């Protein structure tokens, strides 16, 4: 444990000298985590040596220590244990040091070492590929801090519900792996919360097949919601689109964003679309447009207008999709507009 109380303390001179030798910007550390410099024990040269041994260049070592200065407070044995742990899922040390350079804080969180190890082995047994596990380690490190039993419990709840909703044994493993790959944060939820959300959907007349359909479309986001917020969002959409319960259900299946975005978010996006001259009827026809932020919508409308496309009178389909989808469609529209109209059977007018 490290104290963050810096009153009437002096910076550790030995630590400062070692950091200077490594060309570390001390000002950055003072600004970000000054308390590190007040610790009596630090392992600056040892930490740097381990990083260099893994292949980190001098500039990379300095960058790592500037962004994650608490790295120097870990004894070498701890860092080497973490190194061995991450090597379970890294192809080689070159990949490992690259990950540490990008995500030093995730690597230097050694507090939950045993949990991390147990969870890595559990994910491997589950069938997750090592490249997916490394992505989890860097983008969702919190899921490794849970005791492995908790993560197992959540997975078992998902498997049980998948089968009870009519999913097949043959597809269950693929479904679970896909769900985890899309959104590992579902493991931060409790089994009870997952159960409640699924029961909420069933109580709103979504069939088992439709619930499974929603789970696939929501990429696991449903597990981060709760019945109260989902209910409010659905009531808001019903009022805006003036539709029946059955029609609302179809809209939600078409655009799960109506379920997982809060009322303030939906209100803001709807308002943004209406300001652009788009009608509620158009939005109802293509509700997926609500998945886009107001800024993205404005940018896309501007680009389409430059091609002479009037969004108010046409469909909103051209606004939809990821950035890549939009750019591809826009490119097609642009080349179509620029292509000269040529009729091969029209007579040629040649002057004498």
């Amino acid at each position: 444990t490290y104290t963050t109380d810096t009153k009437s303390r002096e910076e550790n001179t030995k630590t400062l000298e070692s950091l200077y030798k490594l060309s570390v910007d001390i000002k950055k550390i003072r600004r970000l985590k000054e308390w590190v410099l007040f610790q009596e024990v630090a392992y600056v040269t040892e930490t740097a040596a381990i990083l260099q041994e893994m292949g980190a260049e001098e500039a990379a070592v300095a960058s790592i220590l500037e962004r994650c200065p608490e790295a120097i407070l870990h004894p070498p044995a701890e860092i080497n244990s973490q190194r061995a742990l991450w090597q379970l899922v890294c192809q080689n040390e070159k990949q490992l040091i690259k990950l540490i350079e990008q995500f030093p804080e995730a690597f230097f969180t050694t507090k939950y070492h045993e949990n991390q190890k147990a969870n890595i082995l559990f994910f491997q047994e589950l069938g997750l590929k090592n490249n997916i596990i490394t992505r989890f380690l860097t983008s969702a490190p919190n899921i490794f801090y849970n005791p492995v039993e908790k993560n197992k419990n959540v997975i078992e709840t998902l498997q049980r519900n998948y089968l009870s909703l009519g999913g097949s044994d043959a597809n269950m493993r693929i479904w679970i792996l896909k769900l985890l790959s899309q959104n590992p944060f579902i493991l931060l939820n409790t089994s009870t919360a997952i159960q409640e959300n699924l029961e909420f959907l069933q109580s709103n007349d979504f069939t088992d097949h439709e619930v499974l359909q929603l789970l696939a479309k929501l990429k696991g986001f449903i597990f981060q919601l709760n019945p109260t917020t989902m209910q409010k969002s659905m009531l808001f959409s019903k009022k805006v689109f003036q539709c029946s319960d059955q029609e609302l259900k179809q809209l939600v299946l078409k655009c799960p964003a109506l379920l997982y975005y809060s009322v303030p978010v939906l209100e803001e996006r709807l308002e943004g679309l209406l300001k652009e001259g788009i009608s509620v009827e158009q939005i109802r026809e293509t509700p997926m447009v609500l998945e886009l932020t107001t800024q993205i919508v404005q940018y896309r409308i501007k680009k389409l207008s430059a091609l002479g496309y009037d969004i108010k009178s046409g469909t909103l389909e051209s606004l939809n999709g990821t950035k890549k989808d939009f750019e591809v469609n826009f490119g097609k529209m642009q080349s179509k507009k620029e292509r000269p109209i040529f009729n091969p059977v029209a007579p040629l007018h040649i002057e004498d």
Side-chain angles (χ1 to χ4, degrees):
T1 55
Y2 316 115
T3 174
T4 53
D5 180 17
T6 58
K7 287 176 187 173
S8 67
R9 300 280 300 277
E10 286 184 5
E11 288 180 350
N12 186 324
T13 316
K14 192 183 170 188
T15 300
L16 292 177
E17 284 171 4
S18 301
L19 289 169
Y20 277 126
K21 279 180 190 171
L22 292 165
S23 305
V24 173
D25 187 341
I26 309 286
K27 286 179 186 173
K28 275 188 184 176
I29 296 180
R30 286 193 181 117
R31 195 167 61 245
L32 290 170
K33 292 176 181 175
E34 189 188 27
W35 59 271
V36 170
L37 303 173
F38 289 82
Q39 304 307 313
E40 286 175 21
V41 180
Y43 305 92
V44 183
T45 49
E46 294 90 337
T47 304
I50 293 171
L51 292 171
Q52 285 164 344
E53 197 183 301
M54 282 191 266
E57 292 175 6
E58 194 179 316
V61 172
S63 172
I64 290 167
L65 299 184
E66 282 163 10
R67 286 183 297 136
C68 182
E70 61 269 41
I72 64 173
L73 303 179
H74 295 289
E78 261 183 37
I79 297 174
N80 280 321
S81 293
Q82 196 75 340
R83 176 184 178 179
L85 183 63
W86 281 47
Q87 279 174 328
L88 292 173
V89 287
C90 286
Q91 293 168 358
N92 48 46
E93 290 215 314
K94 189 181 176 184
Q95 187 199 5
L96 174 55
I97 198 64
K98 196 177 174 186
L99 287 175
I100 297 171
E101 282 176 36
Q102 290 175 293
F103 310 96
E105 288 194 351
F107 178 79
F108 286 105
T109 302
T110 62
K111 189 178 169 187
Y112 308 94
H113 184 81
E114 289 309 312
N115 284 357
Q116 286 184 59
K117 187 175 183 177
N119 279 306
I120 284 174
L121 296 173
F122 167 59
F123 291 141
Q124 286 178 327
E125 282 167 26
L126 204 59
L128 276 173
K129 291 182 179 173
N130 283 343
N131 64 320
I132 301 288
I133 300 174
T134 54
R135 180 157 60 81
F136 288 180
L137 278 168
T138 54
S139 62
N142 291 15
I143 67 171
F144 292 87
Y145 306 159
N146 286 336
V148 72
E149 290 73 26
K150 184 194 178 296
N151 287 339
K152 279 182 179 175
N153 199 5
V154 171
I155 296 293
E156 281 163 12
T157 303
L158 290 171
Q159 290 171 329
R160 194 167 55 248
N161 278 291
Y162 178 77
L163 293 174
S164 71
L165 290 166
S168 70
D169 266 315
N171 292 331
M172 182 173 69
R173 184 174 165 274
I174 297 164
W175 180 78
I176 288 283
L177 294 180
K178 191 177 178 184
L179 197 63
L180 276 176
S181 301
Q182 290 171 332
N183 185 6
F185 295 104
I186 57 174
L187 292 169
L188 298 178
N189 297 291
T190 62
S191 304
T192 314
I194 291 170
Q195 200 72 45
E196 282 175 0
N197 288 343
L198 294 175
E199 283 169 8
F200 167 79
L201 293 174
Q202 289 170 313
S203 69
N204 276 274
D205 296 327
F206 285 93
T207 64
D208 288 353
H209 176 71
E210 285 167 345
V211 173
L212 270 183
Q213 204 181 321
L214 268 176
L215 293 185
K217 284 189 177 182
L218 282 165
K219 298 179 180 177
F221 287 116
I222 190 168
F223 303 122
Q224 287 163 251
L225 301 171
N226 63 66
T228 310
T229 55
M230 286 192 280
Q231 183 72 50
K232 284 177 182 174
S233 296
M234 283 175 74
L235 287 172
F236 172 77
S237 298
K238 188 179 179 182
K239 188 179 174 184
V240 166
F241 298 120
Q242 296 180 338
C243 56
S244 65
D245 288 343
Q246 189 56 33
E247 287 168 331
L248 175 65
K249 200 173 80 163
Q250 292 312 311
L251 282 173
V252 169
L253 287 168
K254 206 172 176 184
C255 175
L258 297 175
L259 196 64
Y260 66 78
Y261 282 135
S262 65
V263 171
V265 171
L266 290 172
E267 260 177 336
E268 184 207 338
R269 292 186 180 186
L270 193 75
E271 206 176 297
L273 290 163
L274 297 176
K275 274 182 185 173
E276 294 294 332
I278 293 165
S279 68
V280 171
E281 195 49 48
Q282 279 178 295
I283 300 167
R284 184 173 166 169
E285 284 300 310
T286 317
M288 293 79 75
V289 77
L290 289 166
E291 291 175 359
L292 306 169
T293 65
T294 305
Q295 289 80 3
I296 291 172
V297 167
Q298 287 169 344
Y299 167 77
R300 292 184 181 184
I301 288 175
K302 200 175 177 183
K303 284 197 82 170
L304 291 169
S305 298
L307 289 182
Y309 185 88
D310 184 14
I311 203 76
K312 296 172 200 169
S313 56
T315 170
L316 301 185
E317 286 292 341
S318 49
L319 285 177
N320 277 343
T322 61
K323 185 183 178 183
K324 191 180 176 182
D325 295 335
F326 175 76
E327 294 300 339
V328 168
N329 290 334
F330 180 78
K332 284 178 186 173
M333 290 168 78
Q334 197 173 28
S335 59
K336 196 175 177 183
K337 189 175 187 292
E338 288 168 359
R339 202 181 299 133
I341 298 167
F342 173 67
N343 185 347
V345 295
L348 295 172
H349 300 287
I350 303 168
E351 291 178 15
D352 292 326

